[in-house]
Amino acid sequence: MTLIAGGVVLVQSETTFEIISKIEVRLLFRRMARMTRRSWAITVPFLVLIGATSNAQVDHRRAHANWIDQYREPAARLIGEATGSTFAWQRLALLTDTIGNRFSGTPALDRAIQWAVGEMKRDGLENVHTETVTVPRWVRGAESAEIVSPAPHPIVMLGLGDSVGTPPGGLEADVLVVHGFEDLDARAAQARGRIVLFNVPFTNYGETVRFRSAGPSRAARHGAVAMLIRAVGPPGLRTPHTGALQYSADVAQIPAAAIATEDADRLQRMSDRGDRVVVRLRMEAHFEPDVESANVVGEIRGRERPDEVVVVSGHLDSWDVGAGATDDGGGCVVTWEAVRLMKKLNLRPRRTVRVVLWTNEENGGRGGLAYRDQHRAELGKHVLMLESDSGVFRPLGFGFSGSDSARETVQTIATLLSGIAADQISTGGGGADIGPSVQEARIAAMSLEVDGSKYFLIHHTPADTVDKIDPVEMAKCAATVAVMAYVVADLPNRL
Ligand SMILES: [Zn+2]
């Protein structure tokens, strides 16, 4: 029998993706993932059974079934070992409690790198080492904002990454509240000498984050002296969300900060009443000279083709608020777990599985760029690169970018994860750190996909702490990555 989807072509072509910024890459993956889920939802009810079963097809299916059968036992062992303990969550809790957040260029990130090297060695991983990366050093410094008029109120704020500071004594100016770029352009004459507030409610990350990225320079172009943005996230409990901005080269750089949604709403109400609204902003933000950091690498060497590599990864750096638990300590630990579990169960695949903990994803992406440059000669031997950077909540499966035949293979592998309901393969796999290597050598790319309903509530906030993560869901994420990485690394034929 042949299954044909009525009128809908299910094969989606893979396009070379261009990295505009890590944010847009993430957005693209999420959009594509959503698109796929929708197209399946529409398509599946129209499945039509046509054609008779031929012997050749039966033989083909049997061969297919045999192929995956040999992996049922190791997959069950990996899933059992991962979900039989809270090891992954405990490791993440230890990292985030004893070291905390890990911003690029800080001693905390250095400590985390040394800790990871020591722990990987204790796990028995092979070829454990660091690879030096030069990273930018942005320093937040002291910062504050307050409403001066019509009534004094403190504002809960976080300066945006890469922002310049205010003059030492701070700056004070009238506030112009706008609701988007068009609104700003329409009221350009009122922006001069003011603090522009982009008060745009969160819809999804991609739509809203552009005001954080481009807002400061758009406001500066019209003569604004500073920019505030309603925090890029759903309403929390007075939670500001930091994140990087991108100044345009041809316009003055003005200080920029995110404020909690409650504070944005208050400024909006004051402005709507026709009051003159004055805010004072102080920020010491500045850059210091670049410093040395490192990617952390550990492996389980392949038993037959050790020069062929499957990379699993997360980024060890975080923003300088919260504890960097969801973004992205969890991604580091679950991908690292994949290799630790194989080692513990004495499962040595045909090819090498390499865990990479990236540095500087949040404010530079230099870890991913350095890996591409340092491993250029062996990128052609990379079979698959996987990144987990969307949280370690209930796993759904993976986003995947690669050839159609490779997609078919990983879809079959994913059936081994149906018992923990993590067997979806959607389009658009990748990540900010694997991106440079994946693009250069056209390597198949994967992202761990999870229930994303909580992610943007805590993203880049002081609330990114380990208590938001469920140990059982995290263990399932580790199992999901472990099974996929192991089987891809062990396949008789390269993916
Ligand atoms: Zn991240």
Side-chain angles (χ1 to χ4, degrees):
M1 283 188 299
T2 310
L3 287 175
I4 296 204
V8 180
V9 179
L10 286 176
V11 179
Q12 305 207 358
S13 66
E14 299 298 331
T15 52
T16 305
F17 49 85
E18 302 167 2
I19 289 203
I20 305 151
S21 76
K22 59 162 190 163
I23 295 146
E24 276 137 357
V25 172
R26 280 188 198 167
L27 165 70
L28 180 66
F29 296 149
R30 293 217 168 86
R31 264 201 199 139
M32 290 174 82
R34 273 199 302 277
M35 241 166 52
T36 308
R37 281 196 281 275
R38 273 203 297 274
S39 69
W40 273 103
I42 295 162
T43 304
V44 170
F46 294 107
L47 286 173
V48 185
L49 303 179
I50 59 163
T53 306
S54 73
N55 289 339
Q57 282 171 324
V58 170
D59 290 347
H60 177 75
R61 275 219 316 271
R62 280 205 186 117
H64 200 63
N66 290 345
W67 163 82
I68 195 68
D69 279 348
Q70 64 184 305
Y71 292 115
R72 294 192 194 284
E73 192 262 353
R77 290 175 68 203
L78 287 165
I79 294 168
E81 182 68 27
T83 58
S85 83
T86 58
F87 186 94
W89 191 92
Q90 300 291 353
R91 175 165 267 176
L92 178 61
L94 183 76
L95 167 67
T96 56
D97 288 341
T98 59
I99 296 174
N101 62 51
R102 306 166 300 281
F103 194 52
S104 284
T106 61
L109 179 55
D110 292 343
R111 282 201 299 279
I113 289 166
Q114 291 315 314
W115 168 81
V117 167
E119 288 293 292
M120 282 186 185
K121 286 180 177 166
R122 285 214 319 195
D123 290 345
L125 303 197
E126 297 146 21
N127 195 20
V128 176
H129 64 278
T130 58
E131 298 179 353
T132 303
V133 182
T134 303
V135 300
R137 174 81 180 108
W138 179 77
V139 178
R140 176 180 302 283
E143 56 182 18
S144 66
E146 61 201 300
I147 302 174
V148 175
S149 170
H153 295 282
I155 294 175
V156 176
M157 59 82 79
L158 277 174
L160 297 184
D162 295 357
S163 178
V164 297
T166 61
L171 60 82
E172 197 173 294
D174 288 27
V175 174
L176 173 67
V177 183
V178 298
H179 302 108
F181 292 139
E182 283 179 11
D183 191 22
L184 172 66
D185 292 342
R187 300 164 73 190
Q190 300 169 52
R192 183 157 302 279
R194 299 231 181 146
I195 296 172
V196 167
L197 166 63
F198 284 94
N199 187 23
V200 185
F202 181 81
T203 47
N204 63 57
Y205 194 62
E207 275 181 21
T208 322
V209 78
R210 34 199 199 106
F211 300 105
R212 188 190 81 203
S213 313
S217 288
R218 295 287 287 252
R221 204 173 291 283
H222 297 308
V225 294
M227 188 220 71
L228 300 176
I229 182 172
R230 180 188 182 95
V232 180
L237 291 173
R238 226 169 174 196
T239 321
H241 297 239
T242 191
L245 58 73
Q246 281 156 357
Y247 288 127
S248 302
D250 59 341
V251 64
Q253 299 185 351
I254 60 172
I259 65 174
T261 60
E262 292 91 334
D263 295 282
D265 286 339
R266 173 180 275 152
L267 288 165
Q268 179 75 60
R269 289 192 300 273
M270 289 172 161
S271 173
D272 289 348
R273 288 185 198 112
D275 291 332
R276 183 181 166 216
V277 185
V278 180
V279 160
R280 184 180 300 132
L281 179 68
R282 288 194 199 88
M283 291 171 61
E284 293 179 353
H286 63 280
F287 276 97
E288 292 180 0
D290 286 0
V291 294
E292 269 196 5
S293 184
N295 294 328
V296 180
V297 176
E299 293 179 339
I300 182 158
R301 298 290 291 171
R303 68 173 192 277
E304 272 182 26
R305 296 181 212 160
D307 56 328
E308 293 185 2
V309 183
V310 170
V311 166
V312 293
S313 65
H315 67 85
L316 193 53
D317 71 301
S318 73
W319 280 103
D320 56 338
V321 296
T326 280
D327 192 7
D328 182 31
C332 290
V333 172
V334 300
T335 50
W336 174 357
E337 274 291 272
V339 187
R340 186 189 73 85
L341 292 164
M342 286 176 218
K343 186 76 193 175
K344 177 129 194 260
L345 297 173
N346 204 20
L347 290 168
R348 185 178 294 279
R350 222 175 289 270
R351 299 174 188 78
T352 294
V353 180
R354 174 181 298 163
V355 56
V356 182
L357 310 185
W358 310 100
T359 189
N360 188 228
E361 189 273 351
E362 294 293 4
N363 63 326
R366 302 253 188 106
L369 292 167
Y371 185 92
R372 176 197 64 192
D373 296 343
Q374 291 164 6
H375 292 264
R376 190 163 262 134
E378 62 155 357
L379 286 183
K381 297 273 192 180
H382 281 52
V383 172
L384 174 72
M385 294 185 83
L386 181 154
E387 182 158 358
S388 168
D389 190 18
S390 299
V392 288
F393 303 109
R394 181 173 56 84
L396 305 175
F398 299 95
F400 178 76
S401 294
S403 69
D404 290 343
S405 67
R407 170 177 300 281
E408 203 173 296
T409 302
V410 298
Q411 275 171 336
T412 304
I413 297 170
T415 62
L416 299 171
L417 295 162
S418 59
I420 55 170
D423 54 348
Q424 291 180 20
I425 301 292
S426 52
T427 49
D433 301 293
I434 61 175
S437 300
V438 161
Q439 282 185 87
E440 176 146 319
R442 301 190 62 80
I443 301 163
M446 257 189 184
S447 48
L448 177 67
E449 295 291 326
V450 303
D451 169 15
S453 57
K454 282 191 284 186
Y455 185 77
F456 284 109
L457 187 60
I458 58 178
H459 180 249
H460 297 180
T461 75
D464 183 0
T465 48
V466 74
D467 45 274
K468 311 298 185 305
I469 297 168
D470 177 66
V472 174
E473 291 183 347
M474 188 171 175
K476 286 180 180 172
C477 286
T480 301
V481 176
V483 168
M484 182 57 71
Y486 174 76
V487 179
V488 170
D490 195 68
L491 291 171
N493 297 313
R494 186 184 158 154
L495 187 69

